[in-house]
Amino acid sequence: GTTCIQFENNVRLTLKQTDFSKNEVLVQLRVGSGFLEIASAKKPGLDKLASVAFVEGGLIAHDITEIKRLFAGKTVGINCVVGDDALVFSAVTNQENLRDQLNLLCAYICYPGFRNEALEEFRKNLETLYSTFAHTAAGTFAQKISRYLVNGYERFGYAEKSVLEKRNFQELAETLRPILEKGYIEICLVGDFNNEKAIEEVAETFGTLPLRLETKERLDDARKVEWPKNK
């Protein structure tokens, strides 16, 4: 019951129709190799900035407030996190609004805004975040213990607040643009939709992008972690 397609530009699409929720479509877009790739920039915390502020940075033509106004009354949204092996965008929409949802996701791939107001909001919220780290057991684990258990590997835990405060959108743009422009892409649609129409709508959006990488980069060296060394 699953349909898998590879377009001429190497974008991959997987579709699975279900009747669990009437007129609901779950959308996931995976781009590049995620943290494993972003870490090559050697800018600790850049993944955290991307996860929190990339979507809020809007598009070149529209800030996040305008985007919300443009799609008011429609079931269209977007969330982004830097996963271990992909930049992951997710959304919940319906068949009627699927094309709009795909247009928005495609716009973030082609025309990200990196607007400074999102960066300022990210930095402002760091004080609250690190206060939580300092005063709760769960916060201490999230920031330090998880990183200690893998001998300081930066994919886990958080750097010091002063390090994250240094991160900026110029660094993020320089790191993400090559990934967004050429990185491996796979799209997954699950839910209540018309298969043929959904394929057509993906073909008219992501299927028109320039040629992408045909396979995901392995980055095996970046995957290696080890227990803390005995002291």
Side-chain angles (χ1 to χ4, degrees):
T2 300
T3 302
C4 299
I5 293 172
Q6 181 174 347
F7 294 98
E8 289 185 359
N9 62 355
N10 291 327
V11 169
R12 295 174 184 269
L13 171 64
T14 301
L15 307 99
K16 173 66 175 177
Q17 292 175 295
T18 71
D19 55 5
F20 300 143
S21 297
K22 184 67 175 176
N23 199 27
E24 180 179 89
V25 184
L26 307 182
V27 182
Q28 186 177 91
L29 164 67
R30 297 172 62 84
V31 184
S33 298
F35 181 84
L36 296 171
E37 198 167 10
I38 291 173
S40 65
K42 299 190 184 302
K43 303 287 185 181
L46 202 60
D47 59 312
K48 306 297 190 293
L49 175 60
S51 292
V52 173
F54 177 74
V55 169
E56 293 299 312
L59 303 171
I60 292 175
H62 306 286
D63 64 26
I64 191 66
T65 300
E66 292 171 334
I67 291 170
K68 291 177 180 177
R69 185 167 60 247
L70 285 170
F71 293 104
K74 296 184 177 182
T75 307
V76 172
I78 187 170
N79 180 56
C80 174
V81 296
V82 177
D84 277 355
D85 64 349
L87 186 64
V88 182
F89 298 85
S90 57
V92 180
T93 186
N94 54 44
Q95 179 66 71
E96 292 74 23
N97 299 145
L98 179 57
R99 178 59 182 266
D100 288 318
Q101 182 65 71
L102 293 169
N103 282 336
L104 179 59
L105 288 167
C106 207
Y108 266 98
I109 299 300
C110 298
Y111 310 109
F114 298 108
R115 294 171 178 270
N116 279 332
E117 51 264 36
L119 175 62
E120 293 168 3
E121 188 69 15
F122 169 78
R123 289 173 172 168
K124 183 174 69 175
N125 290 333
L126 288 177
E127 190 66 41
T128 301
L129 177 64
Y130 279 82
S131 177
T132 301
F133 289 160
H135 296 97
T136 67
T140 299
F141 185 89
Q143 183 190 10
K144 296 183 176 181
I145 303 301
S146 58
R147 179 171 291 191
Y148 171 78
L149 292 175
V150 292
N151 203 34
Y153 187 51
E154 292 176 351
R155 184 171 40 164
F156 302 86
Y158 284 74
E160 296 300 320
K161 181 161 75 77
S162 60
V163 174
L164 264 71
E165 288 173 333
K166 293 177 182 178
R167 300 285 73 87
N168 57 68
F169 270 167
Q170 180 178 346
E171 296 171 338
L172 187 62
E174 290 173 352
T175 303
L176 287 188
R177 280 200 175 105
I179 300 171
L180 297 174
E181 289 173 1
K182 298 180 181 179
Y184 177 88
I185 283 184
E186 52 189 14
I187 303 165
C188 184
L189 304 181
V190 178
D192 182 14
F193 56 85
N194 178 282
N195 223 44
E196 291 184 1
K197 184 178 179 183
I199 293 171
E200 179 182 331
E201 290 175 337
V202 174
E204 292 173 348
T205 51
F206 285 91
T208 66
L209 294 177
L211 189 68
R212 319 297 298 195
L213 292 177
E214 187 173 4
T215 58
K216 182 186 287 287
E217 295 184 82
R218 286 287 307 168
L219 302 170
D220 288 330
D221 288 343
R223 295 174 184 272
K224 296 175 182 177
V225 296
E226 57 185 12
W227 289 100
K229 293 179 169 57
N230 292 329
K231 305 267 184 174

